[in-house]
Amino acid sequence: MLIIQEDEAEVVQDKRWQRDSVRYEIRKLNAPFKEAQKDKRWNAELECYMDPQDNPVVDPSKVDFDAVKNLFPDQDTYHTRRLSEKGYEANLMNKLKEFFEASLPKAVEMRKRKKEEMEKLIEEMKRTTEDADEEEQRTEKSQVPNETEVNESSELLNVGNTNKNENQCRNCIEMCKVCTEKDEKIKIKEIEINKKF
């Protein structure tokens, strides 16, 4: 009989802790809401008040107490998981925040629209970047001169002069791998010729 009474007392205490925790979390919404009301920061489009950073503010009277209570674990579970799992408390608070903001249907809808637009923009940027990379690769391939062009351009170069402009490919004006290798061969031959004299 005594054991049953102790279990019942624990259940009652757990329920009281849950109710008190939920009341505390809902009460935290009062100050920002009253401040937004006082400053008359009503957003007609979202149909809610806004904080100074233009974030929607939840009306605590519109929050469903029982539904929030169902989100909260019992006291033992809360404290055990809070200590053993690193992000447990932060995740729980994020769930509560999302639940509170669910009472602002227009704000939730607007946030979803913005998220979808951002995802579309990111996808579009990825496609544009991929297209630009492919175009750059095609351009680089078309700019690499074939062997006869390299031979002709190396004949045009003055072997004695090491001016940077002359080390550049005459066709693309950028240093390309083929031209660089050819220039190295010419320099080696020049050094061998100088050693002979």
Side-chain angles (χ1 to χ4, degrees):
M1 181 84 170
L2 185 63
I3 295 173
I4 294 173
Q5 288 178 344
E6 285 179 9
D7 287 344
E8 288 176 6
E10 282 182 32
V11 169
V12 169
Q13 184 177 352
D14 263 350
K15 289 186 185 271
R16 186 178 312 131
W17 179 85
Q18 267 183 322
R19 282 193 311 269
D20 290 346
S21 297
V22 171
R23 279 191 198 108
Y24 173 73
E25 292 301 326
I26 293 175
R27 201 175 312 128
K28 288 192 317 190
L29 301 172
N30 275 330
F33 181 74
K34 287 182 180 178
E35 180 187 332
Q37 265 186 326
K38 185 180 104 185
D39 294 342
K40 299 178 183 173
R41 289 193 300 264
W42 176 256
N43 185 322
E45 184 182 357
L46 299 179
E47 297 178 1
C48 66
Y49 286 98
M50 307 296 277
D51 68 7
Q53 292 78 33
D54 282 335
N55 296 317
V57 178
V58 177
D59 180 356
S61 66
K62 292 186 179 179
V63 175
D64 183 3
F65 183 86
D66 292 327
V68 176
K69 192 173 91 176
N70 290 336
L71 285 176
F72 249 87
D74 61 66
Q75 184 176 8
D76 290 338
T77 304
Y78 173 77
H79 289 297
T80 303
R81 292 186 70 187
R82 180 177 62 92
L83 295 173
S84 64
E85 297 175 26
K86 224 174 195 179
Y88 176 73
E89 191 170 16
N91 288 337
L92 178 62
M93 293 305 133
N94 284 336
K95 285 180 188 175
L96 283 173
K97 183 180 177 184
E98 287 174 13
F99 187 83
F100 291 154
E101 289 177 353
S103 67
L104 306 168
K106 297 265 185 176
V108 171
E109 182 183 322
M110 180 74 81
R111 185 172 289 132
K112 282 181 184 176
R113 235 183 292 140
K114 284 183 178 179
K115 185 178 179 181
E116 288 170 0
E117 288 172 6
M118 187 64 83
E119 288 172 355
K120 286 179 185 176
L121 184 64
I122 289 170
E123 281 300 315
E124 192 175 305
M125 292 294 289
K126 282 181 183 177
R127 272 188 258 116
T128 305
T129 305
E130 288 171 0
D131 292 346
D133 287 345
E134 288 173 8
E135 183 64 32
E136 186 177 321
Q137 288 176 354
R138 276 189 238 120
T139 305
E140 285 177 1
K141 285 179 184 177
S142 69
Q143 286 182 351
V144 175
N146 60 30
E147 224 175 290
T148 58
E149 290 175 342
V150 171
N151 288 336
E152 290 172 6
S153 65
S154 66
E155 289 172 5
L156 295 172
L157 292 175
N158 183 356
V159 178
N161 192 352
T162 58
N163 190 350
K164 184 178 179 181
N165 291 336
E166 291 182 344
N167 288 337
Q168 293 179 342
C169 177
R170 299 269 191 229
N171 295 331
C172 60
I173 307 180
E174 291 181 18
M175 291 295 286
C176 62
K177 185 177 178 184
V178 175
C179 294
T180 306
E181 291 172 358
K182 192 70 170 175
D183 286 343
E184 290 297 319
K185 289 177 184 176
I186 291 171
K187 286 179 184 176
I188 291 171
K189 286 181 182 178
E190 186 180 333
I191 291 171
E192 290 174 0
I193 291 170
N194 288 335
K195 285 181 181 178
K196 288 181 182 177
F197 293 107

